[in-house]
């Protein structure tokens, strides 16, 4: 049974900070709340409207929890989900479970919230089904050490409600709910991963019992204490969308031969050349290292020759890399690290020019259409020679901007610059806090053609005709009219928390990507034409065939999609990836990762920094349906 998101509610409660030193702080609980709320709102999992998901962080009094529960219990008619993470305390007299608040004290259950109070309110709900998840300890004596499996069994019995699917978690860690170095509590981490990635081979939906058994199996394999569940009535049949489900491809007709019967590239990652690329070395600030482009010695980029059947990969670097872009002629490509820019020979995979130390933390780069220059942002915006990476022009920028995305106009005469602070990309700051959030620069004169303070911007892109600039940020997507020098339209992103990437297709359609996934918009009506069933997406890149689009993010790594059929065609790696770029011939895809990226709203797993290249076989690329795009990177 798929729960109706419009008539369902979720309330997520977590206590991560405690005033009493006897109760260990649990920073992972804060991440639990944020990420679980995000996944429940994901249309590819449940699609719960943002206003239907209440988050209560660090309550200090019982009323801060009970009053919202009473409210949502009356609003929900389909499904009500209640989640709590934090310390659990046991009353000495009756062994009743209490949920710790910020001011709770160990061995003093009366300072916490009795779970029975919550249970009484849930008995009065109008919802047909209830899901209760308790990720808390059951031992005040241990002061943060988690309960055993037996204790979890008792907890499940005590907390059960008629008509409810209840899970009681017992997580193992010396710092209460959080294993040192892990961002989430042990049980919730596996729950998030299961919802986020889905379960292969389980069809389009996952019922609660399937999710529970998968989480339990994973915890057992990691030798961590196991959770317990109690099921009343039919609550176990409640289901969510399975993100791992890929619809079967249609059977080829007799006149249309089937593709080669070999398996696609390995999942979650492909076999790769593990030899490291150019070794890192110390640089004098502003120094430039040069070699003749195209003359570098060493093995070719793809020493095995061209592959027509399987995906091949090569790792170039293993250091934090912020952005990547190919030159329009395909002979070179550029990567930027925190304070260094490198120009690579696309044939040999060797660095032919490198400059370091002349900018603050680098974030974005963009090639000019003629390929003679590229721009980098970091403090100021620098226009660089494409062969040497040496700066040739400097455009002053607001030093407070952490995010400065860049895009050249199709004629190369203008440079659009976005701007936002990492901490204010939700677009709620005052206008003076968004100074220089949008600028349109004249390349030849260095003058500012236009500026706006309206929005924090994470990404910018020119339309193929150069008349419109798409700008996205924490609050949505807006279209800038170049001639009118103003934002002329707002593109409705729905219940989203922002967009990290944007591009135009060659025929002028708009593609946006962010916390809601990837959407294709009609440029005239500004209505959604298609959606890809992805989760949080940091980057998108459109291949020259105009049909294959690559997506990247923290949960599913790098994937290839057929934009026409909206089907997943390959998963190249599950590594968190922040930026993508296609080579002009459409056969090589580059992806880079940096744990310090301004796009990084959370850490994925795994998280392997560096630059990877994939050689894409023709069998994964549909027949071209149009002319090569003006821009292949978003």
């Amino acid at each position: 049974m798929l729960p109706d998101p419009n008539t369902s509610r979720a309330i997520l409660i977590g206590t991560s900070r405690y005033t009493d030193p006897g109760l260990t702080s649990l920073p992972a609980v804060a991440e639990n709340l944020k990420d679980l709320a995000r996944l429940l709102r994901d249309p590819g999992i449940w699609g719960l409207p943002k206003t239907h998901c209440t988050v209560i962080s660090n309550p200090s009094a019982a009323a801060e929890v009970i009053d919202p529960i009473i409210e949502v219990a009356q609003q929900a008619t389909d499904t009500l989900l209640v989640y709590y993470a934090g310390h659990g305390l046991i009353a000495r007299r009756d062994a009743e479970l209490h949920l710790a608040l910020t001011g709770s004290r160990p061995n003093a259950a009366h300072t916490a919230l009795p779970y029975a109070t919550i249970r009484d309110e849930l008995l009065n709900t109008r919802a047909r089904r209830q899901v209760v998840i308790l990720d808390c300890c059951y031992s005040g004596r241990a002061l943060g050490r988690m309960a055993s499996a037996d204790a979890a069994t008792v907890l499940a019995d005590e907390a059960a409600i008629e008509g409810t699917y209840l899970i009681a978690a017992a997580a193992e860690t010396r710092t209460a709910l959080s294993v040192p170095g892990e961002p989430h509590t042990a049980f919730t981490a596996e729950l998030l991963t299961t919802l986020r990635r889905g379960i292969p081979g389980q069809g389009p939906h996952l019922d609660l019992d399937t999710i529970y058994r998968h989480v339990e199996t994973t915890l057992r394999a990691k030798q961590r204490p196991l959770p317990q569940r109690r099921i009343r009535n039919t609550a176990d049949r409640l289901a969510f969308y399975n993100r791992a489900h890929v619809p079967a491809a249609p059977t080829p007709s007799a006149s249309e031969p089937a593709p080669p019967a070999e398996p696609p590239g390995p999942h979650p990652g492909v076999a790769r050349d593990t030899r490291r690329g150019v070794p890192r070395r110390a640089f004098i600030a502003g120094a430039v290292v040069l070699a003749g482009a195209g003359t570098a010695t060493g093995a070719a980029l793809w020493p095995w020759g061209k592959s027509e059947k399987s995906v091949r990969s090569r790792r170039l670097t293993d250091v934090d890399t912020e952005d990547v872009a190919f030159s329009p002629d395909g002979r070179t490509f550029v990567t930027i690290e925190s304070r260094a820019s490198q120009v690579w020979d696309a044939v040999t995979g060797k660095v032919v020019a490198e400059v370091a130390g002349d900018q603050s933390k680098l974030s974005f780069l963009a090639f000019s259409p003629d390929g003679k220059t590229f721009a980098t942002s970091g403090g100021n915006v620098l226009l660089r020679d494409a062969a040497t990476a040496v700066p040739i022009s400097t455009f002053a920028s607001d030093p407070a901007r952490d995010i400065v995305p860049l895009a050249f106009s199709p004629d190369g005469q203008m440079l659009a610059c976005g701007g936002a602070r990492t901490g204010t990309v939700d677009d709620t700051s005052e206008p003076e806090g968004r100074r220089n959030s949008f600028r349109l620069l004249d390349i030849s004169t260095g003058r500012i053609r236009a500026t706006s303070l309206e929005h924090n911007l994470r990404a910018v892109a020119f339309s193929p005709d150069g008349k419109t600039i798409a700008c996205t940020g924490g609050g949505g997507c807006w279209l800038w009219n170049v001639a009118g020098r103003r934002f002329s339209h707002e593109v409705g992103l729905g219940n989203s928390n922002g967009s990290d990437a944007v591009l135009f297709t060659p025929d002028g359609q708009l593609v946006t990507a962010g916390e809601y996934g990837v959407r294709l918009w009609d440029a005239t009506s500004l209505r959604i034409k298609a959606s890809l069933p992805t989760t949080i997406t940091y980057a998108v890149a459109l291949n020259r065939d105009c049909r294959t689009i690559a997506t990247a993010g923290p949960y599913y790594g790098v994937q290839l999609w057929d934009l026409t059929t909206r089907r997943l065609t390959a998963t190249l790696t599950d590594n968190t990836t922040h930026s993508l770029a296609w080579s002009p011939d459409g056969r090589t895809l580059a992806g880079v990762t940096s744990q310090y990226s301004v796009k990084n709203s959370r850490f994925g797993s795994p998280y392997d920094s560096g630059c990877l290249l994939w050689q894409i076989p023709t069998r994964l690329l549909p027949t071209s349906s149009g002319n090569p795009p003006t821009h292949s990177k978003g």
Side-chain angles (χ1 to χ4, degrees):
M1 298 180 291
L2 294 173
D4 180 4
N6 294 316
T7 57
S8 300
R9 297 293 188 275
I11 183 164
L12 314 181
I13 310 155
T15 309
S16 60
R17 301 194 307 267
Y18 301 88
T19 57
D20 193 292
L23 290 177
T24 310
S25 293
L26 307 172
V29 168
E31 293 299 310
N32 285 2
L33 297 180
K34 181 171 62 176
D35 289 346
L36 182 57
R38 193 184 304 272
L39 290 181
L40 295 179
R41 296 195 297 260
D42 189 327
I45 297 175
W46 188 2
L48 199 66
K50 189 173 183 178
T51 55
H52 291 190
C53 185
T54 303
V55 178
I56 302 174
S57 179
N58 294 313
S60 58
E64 296 178 30
V65 177
I66 299 303
D67 288 348
I69 287 180
I70 293 174
E71 182 178 357
V72 299
Q74 292 303 308
Q75 293 172 346
T77 57
D78 186 314
T79 298
L80 174 61
L81 185 150
V82 179
Y83 169 91
Y84 172 82
H87 285 297
L89 305 178
I90 299 302
R92 292 181 178 179
R93 177 173 300 179
D94 55 9
E96 184 180 344
L97 172 67
H98 288 63
L99 308 181
L101 308 173
T102 56
S104 297
R105 302 193 304 271
N107 299 316
H110 67 279
T111 61
L113 171 64
Y115 175 75
T117 304
I118 294 179
R119 183 171 54 194
D120 290 345
E121 297 301 335
L122 295 182
L123 290 172
N124 296 322
T125 183
R126 300 166 57 202
R128 290 177 292 169
R129 292 175 293 271
Q130 300 173 53
V131 180
V132 178
I133 303 173
L134 301 174
D135 192 351
C136 62
C137 57
Y138 185 56
S139 175
R141 175 184 58 82
L143 300 182
R145 295 187 62 84
M146 299 310 301
S148 65
D150 290 340
T153 302
V154 176
L155 191 155
D157 288 333
E158 292 293 327
I161 302 171
E162 189 66 28
T164 296
Y165 194 102
L166 181 137
I167 300 175
E172 171 192 46
T173 172
R174 56 190 176 174
T175 55
L177 293 173
S178 177
V179 176
E182 295 186 5
H184 304 104
T185 63
F187 168 80
T188 298
E190 302 305 332
L191 175 64
L192 294 173
T193 299
T194 303
L195 292 174
R196 190 166 57 223
R197 297 185 176 180
I199 305 175
Q202 291 293 330
H205 307 119
L206 296 175
D207 61 56
L208 282 176
D209 229 32
T210 300
I211 293 173
Y212 173 84
R213 289 195 300 270
H214 184 79
V215 170
E216 181 189 39
T217 299
T218 305
L219 289 170
R220 188 188 303 275
K222 293 183 178 181
Q223 297 184 336
R224 294 183 175 179
L226 304 179
Q228 296 292 312
R229 73 183 186 278
R230 290 294 179 267
I231 307 170
R232 301 294 173 90
N233 295 329
T234 60
D236 59 317
R237 294 171 55 194
L238 198 68
F240 300 97
Y241 291 108
N242 182 11
R243 300 207 59 103
H245 177 67
V246 178
T251 303
S253 63
S255 60
E256 189 178 66
E262 70 168 70
H267 179 74
V270 297
R272 70 187 184 198
D273 182 356
T274 57
R275 294 168 293 177
R276 298 304 186 190
V278 178
R280 301 299 302 131
R281 53 192 181 275
F283 292 96
I284 300 175
V288 181
V289 180
L290 294 174
T295 62
T297 60
L301 187 60
W302 305 113
W304 314 278
K306 290 187 176 180
S307 171
E308 296 296 328
K309 296 183 178 180
S310 61
V311 176
R312 286 175 173 167
S313 66
R314 176 172 176 179
R315 172 173 289 276
L316 288 184
T317 67
D318 57 2
V319 297
D320 288 309
T321 308
E322 303 290 336
D323 205 355
V324 60
F326 279 89
S327 63
D329 62 10
R331 295 181 180 179
T332 62
F333 61 95
V334 174
T335 59
I336 56 174
E337 299 170 9
S338 179
R339 290 178 58 82
S341 304
Q342 301 91 19
V343 180
W344 300 77
D345 187 300
V347 175
T348 65
K350 299 295 183 180
V351 172
V352 295
E354 180 161 6
V355 62
D358 60 350
Q359 263 180 300
S360 300
K361 184 182 185 302
L362 296 171
S363 300
F364 291 87
L365 70 90
F367 255 101
S368 62
D370 62 9
K372 296 180 180 180
T373 59
F374 65 89
T376 57
S377 64
N380 296 325
V381 173
L382 268 59
L383 194 66
R384 299 176 180 272
D385 182 273
T388 65
V390 172
I392 56 179
S393 298
T394 300
F395 303 98
S397 178
D398 181 355
R401 302 296 94 186
D402 299 310
I403 301 174
V404 186
L406 307 168
F408 278 93
S409 60
D411 61 8
Q413 299 301 307
M414 294 179 287
L415 183 66
C417 307
R421 293 175 180 168
T422 303
T424 60
V425 291
D426 59 355
D427 200 49
T428 58
S429 61
E430 296 300 319
E432 57 269 21
R434 296 195 294 266
R435 187 175 295 110
N436 292 333
S437 56
F438 175 78
R439 286 170 297 147
L440 188 57
L441 306 177
D442 188 303
I443 297 297
S444 59
T445 65
R447 294 181 179 179
I448 298 178
R449 288 194 179 187
T451 185
S452 173
L453 310 180
E454 291 185 52
H455 309 291
N456 282 307
L457 302 178
R458 303 182 187 179
V460 293
F462 268 93
S463 62
D465 61 11
K467 296 180 180 180
T468 303
I469 305 171
C471 305
T472 63
C477 177
W478 306 269
L479 301 183
W480 176 270
N481 184 297
V482 175
R485 299 188 179 187
R486 61 184 176 86
F487 285 109
S488 56
H489 294 90
E490 181 174 355
V491 181
L493 296 181
N495 293 307
S496 68
N497 287 327
S499 179
D500 285 305
V502 63
L503 60 79
F504 281 95
T505 63
D507 59 358
Q509 304 305 298
L510 181 68
V511 176
T512 59
E515 299 185 7
Y516 51 82
V518 178
R519 293 175 181 173
L520 176 66
W521 304 79
D522 183 277
T524 303
S525 66
L526 299 183
R527 293 182 178 179
I528 297 176
K529 294 181 61 177
S531 299
L532 299 182
T534 64
T535 181
I536 299 172
T537 304
Y538 287 152
V540 290
L542 184 64
N543 190 282
R544 69 184 305 276
D545 63 23
C546 305
R547 282 183 57 180
T548 303
I549 190 168
T551 64
Y555 298 139
Y556 288 95
V558 178
Q559 296 182 316
L560 301 183
W561 301 80
D562 187 318
L563 194 58
T564 302
T565 64
R566 276 92 71 187
R567 287 178 176 168
L568 178 67
T569 59
T571 297
L572 305 182
T573 177
D574 65 353
N575 187 49
T576 298
T577 303
H578 296 107
S579 181
L580 296 170
W582 285 101
S583 61
D585 65 3
R587 295 300 307 278
T588 298
L589 178 68
V592 298
T593 299
S594 170
Q595 63 178 323
Y596 304 109
S597 171
V598 294
K599 293 182 179 181
N600 193 41
S601 58
R602 64 194 24 80
F603 293 98
S605 178
Y607 208 98
D608 191 6
S609 292
C611 177
L612 276 171
L613 299 177
W614 295 274
Q615 186 185 41
I616 309 301
T618 54
R619 67 179 180 82
L620 293 179
L621 301 175
T623 303
S624 177
S625 60
N627 297 321
T630 303
H631 302 287
S632 61
K633 178 177 180 294

